Amino acid sequence: AQRVTQPEKLLSVFKGAPVELKCNYSYSGSPELFWYVQYSRQRLQLLLRHISRESIKGFTADLNKGETSFHLKKPFAQEEDSAMYYCALKGRGSTLGRLYFGRGTQLTVWP
Amino acid sequence: DTEVTQTPKHLVMGMTNKKSLKCEQHMGHRAMYWYKQKAKKPPELMFVYSYEKLSINESVPSRFSPECPNSSLLNLHLHALQPEDSALYLCASSQLYREVTEAFFGQGTRLTVV
């Protein structure tokens, strides 16, 4: 069964500190994983997709199939990074068209 | 234009009312979605349309009735809702729902049922 786990509901760091938001998944086959961000009162928007191996707003995420993880990292957090972050897994086969979201991690970056 | 536009932004309705939520995109996307999001929770999929045909209905109660009049528009008709249906309703679109792609989300309609 497809499942995404974000173990931390809340995460707080100080500005300039490194941040890592954890995401683990359960999926048989090659997963397609995404990170979405939702700033306060703004639309949910795509931050990263693993196939692109890109860095957006200083964030990177590497797929580790051995550990079934897709953690989101940033070396130096900024106050404007404070938001809700969702890890998501795209369904395949009989679950095409579905995005399986984790419960989300609320990141707060203190000044 | 890379936006998904939802109207209205806010809606308050009584349990006996009939109302509709609207969603529009002009990116040429052929898959459109309705999600329901409660506060501090992830979005929950309700419906998926592909090429204007309903592809997925996640066992949503019949008081929610989706409609896709054309490839750019998606409606959600509401009738006889309950207070627990109060939530943020998100529309999204993607190029195709069968391929690797990202979904663009609208800003949502914040619905309150009184």
Side-chain angles (χ1 to χ4, degrees):
Chain A
Q2 293 97 333
R3 190 190 305 174
V4 175
T5 304
Q6 292 180 252
E8 303 137 331
K9 197 172 176 181
L10 302 169
L11 183 63
S12 295
V13 299
F14 284 102
K15 177 183 171 182
V19 64
E20 180 180 69
L21 291 88
K22 291 184 168 49
C23 172
N24 290 92
Y25 66 90
S26 173
Y27 188 77
S28 56
S30 293
E32 295 173 28
L33 288 154
F34 305 81
W35 275 100
Y36 284 84
V37 60
Q38 195 169 29
Y39 300 101
S40 180
R41 299 285 179 180
Q42 293 190 28
R43 71 185 69 212
L44 190 65
Q45 54 187 287
L46 179 71
L47 182 63
L48 285 175
R49 50 190 185 281
H50 88 271
I51 58 168
S52 301
R53 300 185 66 82
E54 57 200 340
S55 173
I56 303 291
K57 299 184 180 183
F59 284 98
T60 58
D62 289 318
L63 178 63
N64 185 322
K65 290 187 178 180
E67 295 181 359
T68 60
S69 68
F70 187 56
H71 302 328
L72 184 67
K73 300 176 185 178
K74 186 169 182 177
F76 307 104
Q78 304 299 313
E79 290 177 69
E80 55 265 29
D81 296 329
S82 296
M84 179 70 89
Y85 291 82
Y86 294 101
C87 183
L89 172 69
K90 188 169 175 66
R92 282 186 172 174
S94 62
T95 61
L96 272 172
R98 290 174 176 83
L99 268 177
Y100 294 91
F101 287 94
R103 66 170 175 172
T105 297
Q106 179 69 49
L107 174 65
T108 302
V109 181
W110 299 105
Chain B
D1 184 359
T2 57
E3 279 208 356
V4 175
T5 304
Q6 290 187 245
T7 55
K9 286 189 170 54
H10 300 274
L11 179 63
V12 179
M13 62 184 289
M15 289 189 282
T16 58
N17 291 158
K18 284 186 182 180
K19 296 285 184 183
S20 296
L21 309 185
K22 295 186 186 304
C23 174
E24 193 168 2
Q25 57 88 14
H26 295 288
M27 294 177 279
H29 289 172
R30 304 314 300 264
M32 296 185 77
Y33 311 76
W34 279 116
Y35 284 85
K36 175 182 177 180
Q37 187 178 26
K38 291 278 202 180
K40 300 295 184 186
K41 299 285 187 185
E44 299 171 19
L45 183 65
M46 299 174 73
F47 303 104
V48 180
Y49 273 83
S50 177
Y51 287 91
E52 299 146 58
K53 291 187 179 174
L54 184 64
S55 296
I56 297 174
N57 177 342
E58 293 284 56
S59 303
V60 179
S62 59
R63 57 185 184 270
F64 295 91
S65 176
E67 180 197 18
C68 190
N70 60 56
S71 60
S72 300
L73 294 174
L74 186 66
N75 299 322
L76 186 63
H77 303 298
L78 313 172
H79 172 55
L81 294 194
Q82 304 297 312
E84 58 264 28
D85 296 322
S86 298
L88 183 68
Y89 287 85
L90 297 172
C91 175
S93 71
S94 62
Q95 193 68 34
L96 295 169
Y97 93 105
R98 287 184 176 273
E99 296 181 0
V100 177
T101 184
E102 64 258 35
F104 289 79
F105 283 82
Q107 204 148 9
T109 293
R110 194 163 296 279
L111 174 68
T112 303
V113 181
V114 296

